[in-house]
């Protein structure tokens, strides 16, 4: 067992951790790219879209917003207004059934077991909070949002900065040492550990994740449970 102390909060990345990289890269991103201009034409006057476009103009002066957004999409940039707009586009897809949130088969049972065992669960992803809620609210395993007590995106800080994890711990009113961060990205785990969190790298073969060798590792959520003394979920049927 790898735990340094009892885990009261499990903080999770999405892409490569709860959800396949392929779903994000091959399903969500192309969906938003295809819909971009049509969405802006149909919804550009909505206050939340206007606020996003104002952020785009501030970050990319001299460029048309759609041009800047497409450039960020092509670069897979972790830019907050891009992530917010993608979230709005995906929201429509989830709402009308064109999208359904992917989760690895081992995830939902563990989330239910951990929550039932009194462990608080939270998400920290570069995707917007709205997009996070939609993915877990319209997941292949049903609506899992009642299990989650916190959602955090890059508005709280970059994922490779220790201060972001300290801020999340403060928001959740939990000592960092009582939190476990799960991610496939070693640099994110480095930042979380620097803030005092326990860490575990998800090394899912299907995603091609390479073990970093400097954090505890697990191939799936049941192995996380075994390594850190968390309740075990029933295996998927």
């Amino acid at each position: 067992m790898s735990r340094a102390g009892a885990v009261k909060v499990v903080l999770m990345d999405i892409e490569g951790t709860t959800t396949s990289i392929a779903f994000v890269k091959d399903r969500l991103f192309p969906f938003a790219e295809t819909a971009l201009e049509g969405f802006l034409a149909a919804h550009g006057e909505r206050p939340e879209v206007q606020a996003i476009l104002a952020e785009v103009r501030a970050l990319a002066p001299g460029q048309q917003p759609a041009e800047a957004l497409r450039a960020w999409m092509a670069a897979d940039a972790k830019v907050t207004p891009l992530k917010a707009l993608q979230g709005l586009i995906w929201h429509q897809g989830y709402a009308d059934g064109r999208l359904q949130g992917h989760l690895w088969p081992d995830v939902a049972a563990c989330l239910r077991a951990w929550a039932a065992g009194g462990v608080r669960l939270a998400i920290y992803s570069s995707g917007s909070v709205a997009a996070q809620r939609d993915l877990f609210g319209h997941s292949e395993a049903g609506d899992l949002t009642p299990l989650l007590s916190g959602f955090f995106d890059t508005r709280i800080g970059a994922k490779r900065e220790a201060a972001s994890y300290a801020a999340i711990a403060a928001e959740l009113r939990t000592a960092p040492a009582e939190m476990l961060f799960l991610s496939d990205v070693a640099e994110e785990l480095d930042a979380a550990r620097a803030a005092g969190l326990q860490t575990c790298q998800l090394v899912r073969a299907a995603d091609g994740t390479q073990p970093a060798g400097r954090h505890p590792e697990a191939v799936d959520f049941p192995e996380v449970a075994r390594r850190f003394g968390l309740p075990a979920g029933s295996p998927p049927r």
Side-chain angles (χ1 to χ4, degrees):
M1 191 176 294
S2 300
R3 60 177 177 162
V7 174
K8 294 186 177 179
V9 173
V10 177
L11 180 67
M12 292 163 281
D13 172 48
I14 292 179
E15 183 182 351
T17 301
T18 66
T19 299
S20 73
I21 292 173
F23 173 72
V24 178
K25 299 291 188 187
D26 300 337
R27 183 75 178 109
L28 289 184
F29 285 176
F31 186 93
E33 289 170 10
T34 300
L36 176 62
E37 279 82 7
F39 182 88
L40 291 177
H43 304 285
E45 299 305 315
R46 286 165 49 183
E48 63 268 38
V49 178
Q50 285 288 307
I52 290 169
L53 294 178
E55 285 189 78
V56 174
R57 293 186 184 98
L59 290 172
Q63 279 189 288
Q64 291 297 318
E67 178 186 353
L69 288 162
R70 284 217 169 270
W72 290 337
M73 286 179 174
D76 190 19
K78 311 300 184 185
V79 183
T80 298
L82 169 64
K83 296 301 180 182
L85 188 69
Q86 286 173 324
L88 292 178
I89 295 171
W90 295 332
H91 178 74
Q92 285 197 323
Y94 286 116
D96 64 24
R98 287 177 293 162
L99 291 175
Q100 191 173 40
H102 172 269
L103 296 176
W104 289 112
D106 56 90
V107 169
C110 283
L111 296 187
R112 292 186 176 108
W114 297 349
V119 179
R120 294 171 68 198
L121 307 175
I123 301 297
Y124 180 29
S125 172
S126 58
S128 70
V129 165
Q132 297 170 26
R133 289 185 178 277
D134 277 332
L135 189 152
F136 285 93
H138 299 85
S139 86
E140 297 162 344
D143 182 3
L144 301 179
T145 56
L147 305 178
L148 299 164
S149 54
F151 295 88
F152 302 93
D153 59 22
T154 53
R155 292 188 186 277
I156 204 160
K159 294 187 73 183
R160 300 187 182 195
E161 295 180 2
S164 305
Y165 299 88
I168 291 172
E171 287 275 345
L172 295 175
R173 298 184 180 183
T174 304
E178 296 175 331
M179 296 176 62
L180 169 64
F181 179 53
L182 307 179
S183 176
D184 61 318
V185 179
E187 291 79 8
E188 295 175 2
L189 296 164
D190 293 342
R193 186 172 58 189
L197 280 69
Q198 299 179 59
T199 57
C200 185
Q201 184 182 24
L202 267 294
V203 183
R204 295 187 181 273
D207 277 337
T209 307
Q210 295 300 310
R214 55 185 187 265
H215 297 276
E217 298 160 9
V219 299
D220 56 21
F221 275 31
E223 186 173 356
V224 171
R226 290 191 295 272
R227 297 203 67 164
F228 290 86
L230 296 167
S234 301
R237 296 181 178 180

